[in-house]
Amino acid sequence: MIAQPTQAFRKAMLKLDKSEQILVLRTVEQIKSSSAGVGKELAGELRGCRSARTGTNGRLRIVFHPISREFLQLITVGPRERGVVYAQALKVLKDLEQ
């Protein structure tokens, strides 16, 4: 499976420390290699996207959009607390639609 990161995903990765970057990359590899749906399906305005836990003690979420069996788009990565990552993902998706 091919994973295409957005610019927001790349920027968010650079803000993480090295150990969490490694954990995120491992999770992305798991998502890419899994034939079953990895992560939790999201609802509301993020319907069609999924969220996977990662990072130290699972504090981070990777929000991604599986477009087909061979292609997925990595929307963003960030802390789950207070819905920060989901608000950022919604903003990125709206920017991509324009």
Side-chain angles (χ1 to χ4, degrees):
M1 182 177 285
I2 298 169
Q4 176 65 42
T6 62
Q7 189 66 26
F9 183 88
R10 289 185 183 115
K11 285 182 182 179
M13 280 290 287
L14 293 175
K15 292 179 183 177
L16 300 175
D17 65 29
K18 202 66 154 171
S19 64
E20 288 194 324
Q21 287 178 3
I22 292 168
L23 293 173
V24 169
L25 292 175
R26 284 184 188 162
T27 305
V28 168
E29 287 303 316
Q30 289 175 352
I31 293 168
K32 287 170 47 176
S33 64
S34 175
S35 59
V38 173
K40 176 183 168 185
E41 287 186 33
L42 299 176
E45 293 181 275
L46 292 173
R47 182 177 301 278
C49 293
R50 299 181 77 85
S51 173
R53 289 183 189 183
T54 191
T56 307
N57 297 323
R59 75 175 197 91
L60 300 175
R61 298 295 184 269
I62 298 172
V63 178
F64 62 99
H65 184 228
I67 296 173
S68 67
R69 288 183 172 241
E70 293 95 29
F71 186 77
L72 67 93
Q73 188 170 37
L74 300 170
I75 307 295
T76 192
V77 60
R80 180 197 172 275
E81 58 193 29
R82 289 177 266 148
V84 171
V85 72
Y86 302 115
Q88 183 181 4
L90 189 57
K91 182 182 180 306
V92 170
L93 287 175
K94 287 184 179 182
D95 289 345
L96 289 175
E97 288 176 359
Q98 293 177 1

